[in-house]
Amino acid sequence: MTIPMIAGLFPTLPDLPTDEGAHPIPGAAHAHGYRPRHTLPVWVETVRQFRRRRTLFMIGLLLVLPWILVAAFKIGGDPSADAVPTLVDVATKSALNFTAFTLFVSTGFLLVVAVALFCGDTVASEASWSSLRYLLAAPVPRARLLRVKLVVALGYSVLALVLLPLMAMIAGTIAFGWGPLDLPVGASLPTGEALGRMSVVVVYGVVAQLVVMGIAFWLSTVTDAPLGAVGGAVGLVVVSNIVDAVTALGSWRDYLPTHWQFAWVDVLQTDPQWDGMIKGAAVSVAYAVVFLALAFRHFGRKDIVS
């Protein structure tokens, strides 16, 4: 038999699509019914992430923390004034003061852990469950999978950063009443103006945490261990805080990812200062862009075996 006759005995298999970043298969774009943009809808990933225990645990912790602080103040009484006035000295004056204090004690660690958890666990957890390759074989393009997971992780991070001050406002209103924002220096801001500035504080908190989001998301594409990605991001933040304490570095500290994380305190003054927040936002966005670019570049070339 000739070669054409032998070839005619076997049926022609249709071309199958493949994920972006892998070797393209001819005819993938023409597979019947395949629409890359319709794979892994955002709402599906949102529901999947919401059902995770770590999501429910972190949201629950953020909802409970303000009430724990209220109980601590009720048991311990009014805070005693220190030599240098701080937000803790006026924490029980009103709901606005309590909210500012809650953000102050949570910015350096708890909110960092929340953002690192949502962004660092999202891809690495799929790899640890050996489900990542099946998602890509669905097929979900690699770039789309990362985009959807990034959008959902960022959404939950923003939810965490907004949920904490909202619950603190509710708890503070019930426990300490409504009133103007008393400043540690002795002045006060009217409630309307104080609410506007607190909104700016929350927005800046989201921008300042973008650097944590970028680092955690990049590590999530590098390792198959979720705890490694989350812990790595938190560890880098801790190291940055330690290095930032070395005053001998001078102006070099301005480029550390966590140097400006408390710059929002300058807004809660009679004469607000914006320079620190502008610099902090620029540094955070720059770091986030770099690490997100590294994440997409690495994941697009990564050999998915888990």
Side-chain angles (χ1 to χ4, degrees):
M1 303 178 68
T2 63
I3 293 179
M5 295 177 63
I6 296 177
L9 297 177
F10 298 93
T12 302
L13 296 177
D15 293 324
L16 297 178
T18 184
D19 59 287
E20 295 178 2
H23 297 290
I25 299 177
H30 304 287
H32 180 68
Y34 175 65
R35 299 293 185 270
R37 294 182 179 181
H38 295 174
T39 58
L40 191 62
V42 173
W43 70 268
V44 172
E45 181 65 16
T46 301
V47 173
R48 291 178 69 242
Q49 294 300 326
F50 181 77
R51 292 176 177 175
R52 300 282 305 280
R53 290 182 179 178
R54 51 88 166 164
T55 303
L56 298 176
F57 171 79
M58 183 54 65
I59 291 177
L61 178 61
L62 293 172
L63 292 175
V64 170
L65 177 64
W67 299 100
I68 295 177
L69 295 177
V70 167
F73 280 118
K74 291 297 184 180
I75 294 173
D78 293 333
S80 57
D82 297 329
V84 179
T86 60
L87 289 175
V88 67
D89 299 325
V90 293
T92 59
K93 296 295 183 180
S94 68
L96 289 170
N97 284 93
F98 180 74
T99 302
F101 169 74
T102 302
L103 286 174
F104 184 78
V105 298
S106 305
T107 296
F109 186 74
L110 179 60
L111 294 180
V112 170
V113 173
V115 174
L117 184 64
F118 291 134
C119 298
D121 183 76
T122 180
V123 178
S125 61
E126 300 285 358
S128 67
W129 298 335
S130 299
S131 59
L132 184 58
R133 57 182 174 181
Y134 296 107
L135 273 176
L136 296 176
V140 181
R142 295 194 182 198
R144 176 169 177 79
L145 183 141
L146 280 191
R147 285 196 300 269
V148 171
K149 286 190 170 293
L150 177 61
V151 168
V152 174
L154 187 58
Y156 277 113
S157 299
V158 173
L159 176 64
L161 296 171
V162 173
L163 196 61
L164 179 63
L166 282 180
M167 182 53 66
M169 193 80 69
I170 296 173
T173 301
I174 295 174
F176 309 115
W178 187 257
L181 177 64
D182 291 341
L183 303 178
V185 294
S188 63
L189 296 176
T191 54
E193 183 179 356
L195 280 173
R197 296 198 188 184
M198 289 299 298
S199 300
V200 173
V201 169
V202 173
V203 172
Y204 177 76
V206 173
V207 176
Q209 293 295 335
L210 287 178
V211 58
V212 181
M213 178 270 297
I215 295 174
F217 194 75
W218 168 63
L219 289 175
S220 186
T221 64
V222 172
T223 179
D224 293 347
L227 288 180
V230 177
V234 175
L236 288 175
V237 170
V238 172
V239 171
S240 177
N241 287 328
I242 294 174
V243 175
D244 188 46
V246 182
T247 56
L249 290 174
S251 60
W252 287 103
R253 296 188 301 162
D254 296 352
Y255 302 99
L256 292 173
T258 59
H259 180 71
W260 304 101
Q261 60 182 343
F262 289 101
W264 56 267
V265 177
D266 296 337
V267 180
L268 303 181
Q269 306 292 336
T270 53
D271 185 18
Q273 303 294 323
W274 305 96
D275 292 346
M277 292 179 59
I278 294 174
K279 294 178 181 178
V283 170
S284 181
V285 170
Y287 274 108
V289 170
V290 171
F291 281 107
L292 287 179
L294 290 175
F296 276 85
R297 181 179 184 275
H298 175 80
F299 192 74
R301 303 180 178 184
K302 183 178 181 180
D303 185 16
I304 307 298
V305 295
S306 57

